[in-house]
Amino acid sequence: MNKANLIAGGALTGLLLTAAIIGAFWTPYDPLRLDMLNRLGPPSPVHWLGTDEFGRDVLSRLMTGATASLSIAAVTVALAITAGTIIGMLAGSARGWTARGISAVSDALLAFPGILLALTLIVIVGAGRNGIVIALAIAYLPGVMRVVRSTVLSAREKEYVEASRVIGNSELYTMLAHILPNCLAPITVLGTSMFGWAILSESALSFLGLGVPPPAPTWGNMLASSQPFFEQALWLSLAPGICISIALLGTNLLGDALRDRLDPRMAAI
């Protein structure tokens, strides 16, 4: 099952990443070009996924939307992982009020559902690409902090960590050389799963009009714009919806496979 998850998750995720990379440099048609004479055209040999309400090629917009949605998710995860690892290691190694203060802030943020916290933050930082990245990164930050902090608390009492301190290594060197490597496996698994949820969250926020503004396409705002034409042009909703589902399924399968491989406790199950 582990190997099947790895192959299926890698294939699905790789397919979307390939489409996003190609979409950054080439699309069959200009995704912003209007053609009102061919609006709401069904899938055909000319337009494989049909055209939207403005006659724009859906496949071209889907590929460009993949570039936007996946790049936003990637930057979001990178920011959350980087900041969460630094703060989590500080919280795990510090003592006294510093550790309690960081834990209290983390617990307070975790009390809010991620999407609700992101909505609140977007009101503060503003909508758009940068706003959605910052809001989602902060929303995912507490989860990373908790994972890293628990790993640090477990690793800092190990014999090899104590030995590093005894031979005179600085606390910073001990953290980077001996404790940080223990965090890489859970961070990798968490980051992989988080990537799919970041795509879903970005799509949800764009669907609500708080993400990348039209006419620039993302999967979320493509879904939003297809609502009035659901019965007349079903393909407008199906195309971005299927892409979001594939992204979430692929990253979850990949995350499960990585967890099984990187966590030795899973090998016995």
Side-chain angles (χ1 to χ4, degrees):
M1 187 64 177
N2 177 28
K3 187 175 182 180
N5 285 349
L6 183 62
I7 294 174
L12 293 175
T13 306
L15 177 64
L16 293 180
L17 289 175
T18 301
I21 294 171
I22 295 174
F25 301 99
W26 175 86
T27 54
Y29 297 90
D30 183 349
L32 302 180
R33 185 174 67 86
L34 306 182
D35 185 4
M36 299 304 292
L37 295 178
N38 293 311
R39 62 188 302 269
L40 298 178
S44 67
V46 178
H47 297 284
W48 289 4
L49 296 180
T51 58
D52 65 7
E53 68 274 22
F54 295 109
R56 298 172 297 195
D57 182 63
V58 174
L59 176 59
S60 299
R61 291 181 62 77
L62 205 65
M63 293 171 66
T64 306
T67 304
S69 296
L70 269 63
S71 63
I72 289 173
V75 175
T76 296
V77 172
L79 286 176
I81 291 292
T82 301
T85 300
I86 294 172
I87 299 173
M89 291 187 69
L90 178 61
S93 60
R95 301 291 197 279
W97 286 105
T98 301
R100 287 194 289 271
I102 295 175
S103 297
V105 172
S106 175
D107 291 341
L109 292 176
L110 282 170
F112 295 91
I115 192 66
L116 179 60
L117 179 59
L119 280 169
T120 305
L121 292 170
I122 282 181
V123 174
I124 299 173
V125 302
R129 184 186 295 265
N130 293 336
I132 205 169
V133 167
I134 294 172
L136 288 177
I138 295 175
Y140 289 128
L141 180 63
V144 181
M145 289 168 52
R146 170 166 288 191
V147 170
V148 173
R149 179 176 178 272
S150 63
T151 304
V152 172
L153 289 174
S154 174
R156 73 181 185 182
E157 307 300 333
K158 301 293 184 181
E159 291 80 1
Y160 58 85
V161 174
E162 293 295 335
S164 177
R165 297 192 182 104
V166 168
I167 63 177
N169 290 329
S170 66
E171 189 67 25
L172 178 60
Y173 176 86
T174 301
M175 290 289 292
L176 295 178
H178 300 290
I179 296 181
L180 180 59
N182 288 278
C183 302
L184 295 182
I187 288 175
T188 300
V189 175
L190 179 62
T192 304
S193 299
M194 190 186 299
F195 184 76
W197 288 108
I199 293 174
L200 182 62
S201 298
E202 182 276 327
S203 299
L205 293 173
S206 292
F207 182 84
L208 296 174
L210 299 174
V212 178
T218 66
W219 293 339
N221 63 31
M222 288 178 69
L223 272 177
S225 63
S226 70
Q227 274 189 300
F229 311 99
F230 184 78
E231 294 184 0
Q232 185 179 359
L234 182 60
W235 57 88
L236 295 182
S237 301
L238 283 179
I242 289 173
C243 285
I244 295 170
S245 300
I246 290 175
L248 195 58
L249 176 62
T251 51
N252 281 341
L253 289 175
L254 195 58
D256 288 343
L258 289 175
R259 182 198 61 204
D260 295 345
R261 283 178 174 260
L262 295 175
D263 189 348
R265 293 171 298 181
M266 299 299 297
I269 298 177

